[in-house]
């Protein structure tokens, strides 16, 4: 599909963070300028991330440290969405999460009405997972903040993400988790609603073919895959339908968008 057709009518963007805007503590070359161009052109956008080790405050501070000033309200995370859902339904969760993420759940009564699992990293333990398993056996609701297979770690290699632990609990309990983050359609739709733009006119930009691009397209958005971050050659071939656009990086996508 010609680039002009792929981007024609795009009125807003959702941007993944790690791998698209920055890699660890350094901006992807050209990404900060690309975001500045979007602001100057008054094209609305939001940041959407499946990061479940850090609270929104810390994510915003990390972006400020690389020269990108954003508000917490511009960042959509699975933790912010599940907290709102738990609160509205009066559910007291059993949290299987990284200690740093506890900040996003301060003031929320904890119990065993629902199991909420995120990427606890080195803090995953048999005892914690077994308590979650037993809660599920006793009827607790089951929420996974994300289901990603892997992520690009600090050493430049891929590391195991929360998805493997989610599947393990699903297998053991014969229950299926409700995924809160990408590729959940509800996650994308919440961010789209904040943009005030119809889903079909929103372009999701990500480095994860499955969770970012495939998930967005299944939710009615357009999808653009960038060859930065965790991208590996040929991953776009795994998607049916294929991405609306495959580009070198965010800077190329913004440049093409502003030419349409």
């Amino acid at each position: 599909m010609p680039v002009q057709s792929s981007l024609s009518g795009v009125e807003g963007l959702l941007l993944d963070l790690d791998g698209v805007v920055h890699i660890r503590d350094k901006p992807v070359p050209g990404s900060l300028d690309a975001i500045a161009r979007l602001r100057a052109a008054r094209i609305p956008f939001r940041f959407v991330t499946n990061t479940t080790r850090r609270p929104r405050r810390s994510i915003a501070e990390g972006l400020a440290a690389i020269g990108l000033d954003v508000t917490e309200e511009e960042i959509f995370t699975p933790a912010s969405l599940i907290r709102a859902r738990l609160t509205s339904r009066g559910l007291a969760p059993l949290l299987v999460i990284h200690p740093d993420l506890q900040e996003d759940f301060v003031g929320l009564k904890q119990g065993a009405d629902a199991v909420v699992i995120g990427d606890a990293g080195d803090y995953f333990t048999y005892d914690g997972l077994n308590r979650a398993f037993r809660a599920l056996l006793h009827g607790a609701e089951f929420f996974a903040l994300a289901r990603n297979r892997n992520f690009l770690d600090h050493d430049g290699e891929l590391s195991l993400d929360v998805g493997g632990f989610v599947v393990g609990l699903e297998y053991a309990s014969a229950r299926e988790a409700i995924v809160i983050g990408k590729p959940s359609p509800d996650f994308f739709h919440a961010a789209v609603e904040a943009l005030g733009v119809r889903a079909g006119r929103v372009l999701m930009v990500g480095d994860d073919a499955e969770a970012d691009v495939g998930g967005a397209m299944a939710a009615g958005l357009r999808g653009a895959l960038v060859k930065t971050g965790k991208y590996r050659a040929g991953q776009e071939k795994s998607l049916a339908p294929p991405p609306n656009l495959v580009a070198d990086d965010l800077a190329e996508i913004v440049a093409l968008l502003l030419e349409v």
Side-chain angles (χ1 to χ4, degrees):
M1 179 184 294
V3 171
Q4 289 76 9
S5 299
S6 300
L7 298 179
S8 178
V10 169
E11 297 178 357
L13 285 83
L14 298 182
L15 308 176
D16 183 33
L17 282 171
D18 196 5
V20 175
V21 175
H22 65 86
I23 296 177
R24 295 176 291 283
D25 59 352
K26 297 184 183 301
V28 172
S31 64
L32 300 188
D33 180 64
I35 292 169
R37 295 185 70 187
L38 289 175
R39 290 196 191 278
R42 297 190 175 183
I43 297 174
F45 60 90
R46 292 292 187 275
F47 300 103
V48 291
T49 176
N50 266 7
T51 297
T52 61
R53 289 191 183 185
R54 302 166 61 198
R56 282 204 294 181
R57 174 197 54 78
S58 176
I59 294 172
E61 289 176 354
L63 293 175
I66 65 170
L68 182 59
D69 291 323
V70 303
T71 65
E72 290 185 31
E73 290 69 30
E74 291 179 294
I75 303 169
F76 279 77
T77 68
S80 61
L81 267 67
I82 190 59
R83 172 163 186 147
R85 181 178 294 193
L86 293 169
T87 300
S88 68
R89 296 186 54 198
L91 297 176
L94 189 164
L95 300 173
V96 184
I97 59 175
H98 195 282
D100 290 348
L101 194 64
Q102 290 281 354
E103 178 181 319
D104 280 352
F105 295 92
V106 168
L108 189 66
K109 179 182 178 181
Q110 298 189 25
D113 296 332
V115 168
V116 176
I117 182 172
D119 179 14
D122 292 339
Y123 295 92
F124 276 120
T125 66
Y126 175 82
D127 181 62
L129 290 168
N130 198 46
R131 283 189 292 113
F133 163 68
R134 290 179 174 181
L136 293 173
L137 290 185
H138 287 93
E141 297 198 36
F142 190 8
F143 299 105
L145 295 182
R147 197 189 175 96
N148 295 62
R149 299 176 191 274
N150 52 61
F151 66 95
L152 187 65
D153 216 330
H154 293 285
D155 59 2
E157 296 289 337
L158 294 178
S159 286
L160 182 67
D161 210 329
V162 67
F165 297 92
V166 174
V167 172
L169 279 178
E170 287 181 328
Y171 177 77
S173 65
R175 299 278 302 282
E176 184 174 352
I178 297 172
V179 179
I180 302 300
K182 298 174 290 184
S184 167
D186 289 344
F187 186 80
F188 289 112
H189 292 160
V192 167
E193 184 177 353
L195 289 176
V197 177
R198 284 189 301 158
R201 294 186 176 275
V202 174
L203 180 70
M204 171 68 209
V205 181
D207 65 329
D208 187 318
E210 185 177 22
D212 292 340
V213 181
M217 295 178 71
L221 288 68
R222 303 188 204 185
L225 183 64
V226 290
K227 298 179 180 180
T228 53
K230 67 188 291 185
Y231 171 82
R232 295 295 184 266
Q235 287 184 332
E236 61 272 23
K237 296 177 183 177
S238 67
L239 294 179
N244 296 102
L245 180 65
V246 179
D248 287 337
D249 50 30
L250 176 60
E252 180 184 7
I253 291 173
V254 172
L256 292 170
L257 178 62
L258 295 179
E259 290 175 1
V260 173

